[in-house]
């Protein structure tokens, strides 16, 4: 593993202590034996035994230099897997708001990173497009008249939903009509379905618009919402009924009992697959979706990105699907939860008036702020250039602020922090990239031609080289753990090392034998930043 501190070398082997314990021998003696047998002369300058039995390894400049010029940025995974990534998945009775941001941004980064590593990624946008909320909405649209649906485009779906819910609470005749609408939808009554389709088309247009502005790679064909599984649920239940000891009837409902899920009183909490009134639940649809993902999409791995409130839902879903034989044991099922976004006050991030912040408003504000910032830094840019740069910086900043934190924790949304040009932020990394691009522009050099071996005489150069060669292992970590903050930390540390190198090592003014190698370091850094940020869904800029 990478060494904890530079004075320990570049890499550290710390498995010897554990091995010595199991072999009941002295760890330092074992370390000495290992050292004797190691043949790393071509790779390492020095290997030292340290502490209770660590091996500290310092890589040879010649080895580093060779790797930098000969090895590709990334070796493509040979045993590519088919990975289904279920993310974003908003409930579309409401407009997309800040509560949908993390799943969308984190899921997209992981999907892109998996693809970069060579896996086959199948994105699934499991939108909420069915259920009682739609009864209310459609009944409400009926009430406000025919033109409403056309006009709804101009109106705010969020406001519609709020009004419909209020009316549902206060007007019992309306509540009855809403329920009747739900039944009509379930019965696939053409009139109701037509209204629903019309509404969904509109809601999906809004969604696509948010994705394209946020530069999210989900496409319309990736959407397979809850409604898509309606027809499959009946046959699935029939199948499950044929199996022994899977479905159990309890008070008229069909349930799966799993002894590991108990409530506070120690009673088994069943997973209800079909309610006594014949209705299905969120997890019923998810069981059907899993079946589809195994049988039709041939998934090797299925990843879900939702907030931590759904941890129990997924634990039960996975256990039930194994028990019921819906997925085979070699398919990996993974829920990757995340914490909340908090405001400065430490409470969930909301607007001043306490409402959900809509994503389109959040994007507008990000761009506005970035625009003002760029104007301040560089007043001579023309309007159009400034706008393009502002957009790239704004979207990068919002995404990176989220991605750079361990997703398991809550994080505080702070505009000034995320838009800062120094520290672990997207603008800092984008700025470093633009700086490198500037070197090539100034020297009028074709970046693709820079393949000379760097000499790495200075420690800052060597440190940068060591870091550049770590990209592969970091990408693999993100692929395994679905935690993009590993990649963010890496890119940040890389940039810090590049800046140190850049401050201490002249480039264009050097004689060719030094200059050319340093340009290779610049090229490789630029490529790593471009590819790494790209895997996070963030664009670089040639100029800022
Ligand atoms: N629509 C759900 C929500 O907004 C998230 C769906 C996640 N995916 C799934 N297959 N359950 O909470």
């Amino acid at each position: 593993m990478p060494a904890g501190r530079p004075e320990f070398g570049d890499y550290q082997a710390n498995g010897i202590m554990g091995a010595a314990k199991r072999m009941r021998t002295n760890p330092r003696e074992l370390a000495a034996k290992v050292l004797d047998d190691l043949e790393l002369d071509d790779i390492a300058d020095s290997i030292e035994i340290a502490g209770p039995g660590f091996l500290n390894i310092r890589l040879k400049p010649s080895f580093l230099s060779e790797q930098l010029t000969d090895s590709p940025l990334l070796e493509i995974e040979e045993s590519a897997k088919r990975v289904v990534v279920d993310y974003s998945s908003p409930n579309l009775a409401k407009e997309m708001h800040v509560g949908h941001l993390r799943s969308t941004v984190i899921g997209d980064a992981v999907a892109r990173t998996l693809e970069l590593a060579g896996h086959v990624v199948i994105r699934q946008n499991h939108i909420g497009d069915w259920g009682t909320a739609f009864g209310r909405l459609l009944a409400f649209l009926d009430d406000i008249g025919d033109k409403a649906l056309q006009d709804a485009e101009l109106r705010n779906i969020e406001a519609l939903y709020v009004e419909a819910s209020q009316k549902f609470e206060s007007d019992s005749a309306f509540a009855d009509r809403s329920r009747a609408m739900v039944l009509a939808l379930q019965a696939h009554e053409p009139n109701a379905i037509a209204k629903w389709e019309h509404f969904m088309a509109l809601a999906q247009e809004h969604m696509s618009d948010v994705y394209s502005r946020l530069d999210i790679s989900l496409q319309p064909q990736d959407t397979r919402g809850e409604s898509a599984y309606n027809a499959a649920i009946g046959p699935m239940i029939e199948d499950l009924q044929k199996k022994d000891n899977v479905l159990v009837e309890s008070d008229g409902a069909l349930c799966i009992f799993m002894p590991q899920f108990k409530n506070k009183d120690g009673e088994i909490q069943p997973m209800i697959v079909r309610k006594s009134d014949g209705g299905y639940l969120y997890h019923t649809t998810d069981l059907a979706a899993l079946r589809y993902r195994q049988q039709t999409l041939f998934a090797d791995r299925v990843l879900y990105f939702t907030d931590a409130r759904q941890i129990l839902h997924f634990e039960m879903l996975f256990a039930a699907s194994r028990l019921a034989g819906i997925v085979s044991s070699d398919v990996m099922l993974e829920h990757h939860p995340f914490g909340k976004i908090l405001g400065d006050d430490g409470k969930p991030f909301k607007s001043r008036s306490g409402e959900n912040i809509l994503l389109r408003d959040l994007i507008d504000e990000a761009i506005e702020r970035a625009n003002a910032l760029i104007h301040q830094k560089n007043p001579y840019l023309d309007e159009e250039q400034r706008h393009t740069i502002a957009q790239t910086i704004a979207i990068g900043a919002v995404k990176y602020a989220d991605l750079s934190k361990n997703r398991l924790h809550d994080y505080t949304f702070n505009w000034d922090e995320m838009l800062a040009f120094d520290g672990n932020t997207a603008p800092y990394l984008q700025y470093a990239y633009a700086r490198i691009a500037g070197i090539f522009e100034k020297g009028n050099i074709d970046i693709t031609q820079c393949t000379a071996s760097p000499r790495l005489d200075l420690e800052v150069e060597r440190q940068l080289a060591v870091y550049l060669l770590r990209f592969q292992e970091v990408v693999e970590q993100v692929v395994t753990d679905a935690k993009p903050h590993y990649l963010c930390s890496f890119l940040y540390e890389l940039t810090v090392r590049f800046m140190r190198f850049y401050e201490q090592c002249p480039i264009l003014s050097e004689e060719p034998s030094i200059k050319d190698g340093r340009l290779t370091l610049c090229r490789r850094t630029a490529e790593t930043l471009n590819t790494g940020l790209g895997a996070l869904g963030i664009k670089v800029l040639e100029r800022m």
Side-chain angles (χ1 to χ4, degrees), residues 54-65:
F54 293 107
L55 287 184
N56 288 345
I57 302 165
R58 199 181 137 89
L59 298 171
K60 259 199 165 102
S62 59
F63 168 72
L64 291 168
S65 178

Side-chain angles (χ1 to χ4, degrees), residues 16 20 24-36 49 52-53:
I16 293 175
R24 295 174 198 279
T25 114
N26 177 313
R28 278 191 74 102
E29 275 167 26
L30 182 64
K33 270 192 205 141
V34 173
L35 192 56
D36 268 352
I49 303 173

Side-chain angles (χ1 to χ4, degrees), residues 65 68-69 439-440 445 450-458 460-461 464 501 504-523:
S65 178
L68 278 180
T69 38
I439 299 171
F440 289 98
I445 295 159
C450 297
T451 52
S453 303
R455 285 181 21 187
L456 309 178
D457 295 332
L458 301 177
V460 279
E461 293 176 285
L464 175 61
F501 154 78
Q504 294 180 30
C505 302
I507 300 172
L508 295 175
S509 57
E510 285 290 347
E511 50 165 291
S513 73
I514 296 178
K515 173 176 124 182
D516 291 348
R518 290 190 175 159
L519 283 170
T520 302
L521 289 174
C522 292
R523 174 182 61 86

Side-chain angles (χ1 to χ4, degrees), residues 3-74:
R5 281 201 247 145
E7 52 284 19
F8 296 159
D10 304 320
Y11 281 83
Q12 202 170 56
N14 55 6
I16 293 175
M17 281 89 77
K21 201 167 174 192
R22 258 169 278 135
M23 294 162 67
R24 295 174 198 279
T25 114
N26 177 313
R28 278 191 74 102
E29 275 167 26
L30 182 64
K33 270 192 205 141
V34 173
L35 192 56
D36 268 352
D37 286 345
L38 275 178
E39 283 185 29
L40 291 176
D41 289 351
D42 298 341
I43 295 179
D45 249 352
S46 72
I47 307 180
E48 280 161 11
I49 303 173
F54 293 107
L55 287 184
N56 288 345
I57 302 165
R58 199 181 137 89
L59 298 171
K60 259 199 165 102
S62 59
F63 168 72
L64 291 168
S65 178
E66 202 182 286
Q67 290 291 309
L68 278 180
T69 38
D70 295 350
S71 71
L73 213 52
L74 270 178

Side-chain angles (χ1 to χ4, degrees), residues 86 89-91 126 128 226 282 286 293 304 306 310 313-314:
D86 178 323
S89 307
N91 288 336
H126 190 88
E226 295 181 6
Y282 180 51
D286 256 331
R293 290 166 187 185
Y304 296 84
T306 79
Q310 297 197 32
H313 163 72
F314 284 105

